[in-house]
Amino acid sequence: MTAYAIAHLRDVDVNAEIVDYIRLIDETLVPFGGRFLIHGVTPEVVEEPWEGDLVVIAFPDIGAARSWYASPAYQAILPLRTRNSRSAAIIVDGVSDGYQAADFLAKLG
């Protein structure tokens, strides 16, 4: 099942370190099958305030997403982002094909 790494970036200081991060991140994704779905987009806000930009990266599964984040290649460039932005990042499983919101009720038991 597809999994996603999602980041909410705020107050990004676009400097030489961020430029390096952007130039280097793609090569860290390749061994784990990661690909950008959304990158640096300011969402159209329809409810509640939203500050900053959104990044969504898809991976073949949750294991690949976790392995990418923990990889030496990504960990080496991660400080370039964290030193130059306020950001939050999560890794989350997607849902299977055909999933419907009511399927969640089975989890509630």
Side-chain angles (χ1 to χ4, degrees):
M1 183 177 333
T2 304
Y4 303 91
I6 302 169
H8 179 196
L9 307 173
R10 297 165 315 283
D11 301 327
V12 178
D13 180 7
V14 181
N15 59 37
E17 286 191 331
I18 288 293
V19 170
D20 285 344
Y21 177 85
I22 292 168
R23 286 186 176 141
L24 295 170
I25 191 170
D26 289 318
E27 66 190 51
T28 72
L29 298 172
V30 172
F32 305 98
R35 65 183 181 88
F36 283 98
L37 297 180
I38 299 168
H39 187 237
V41 174
T42 301
E44 178 181 341
V45 178
V46 295
E47 292 183 23
E48 299 295 328
W50 177 277
E51 175 188 340
D53 297 321
L54 182 65
V55 176
V56 178
I57 304 169
F59 291 89
D61 56 52
I62 196 86
R66 289 176 178 147
S67 294
W68 163 75
Y69 188 84
S71 71
Y74 186 66
Q75 289 298 304
I77 68 168
L78 178 59
L80 301 176
R81 175 176 58 81
T82 59
R83 282 196 300 257
N84 295 288
S85 68
R86 286 188 311 125
S87 54
I90 61 172
I91 294 174
V92 62
D93 254 331
V95 297
S96 59
D97 288 340
Y99 177 90
Q100 295 185 358
D103 296 341
F104 182 77
L105 298 175
K107 293 181 183 180
L108 301 178

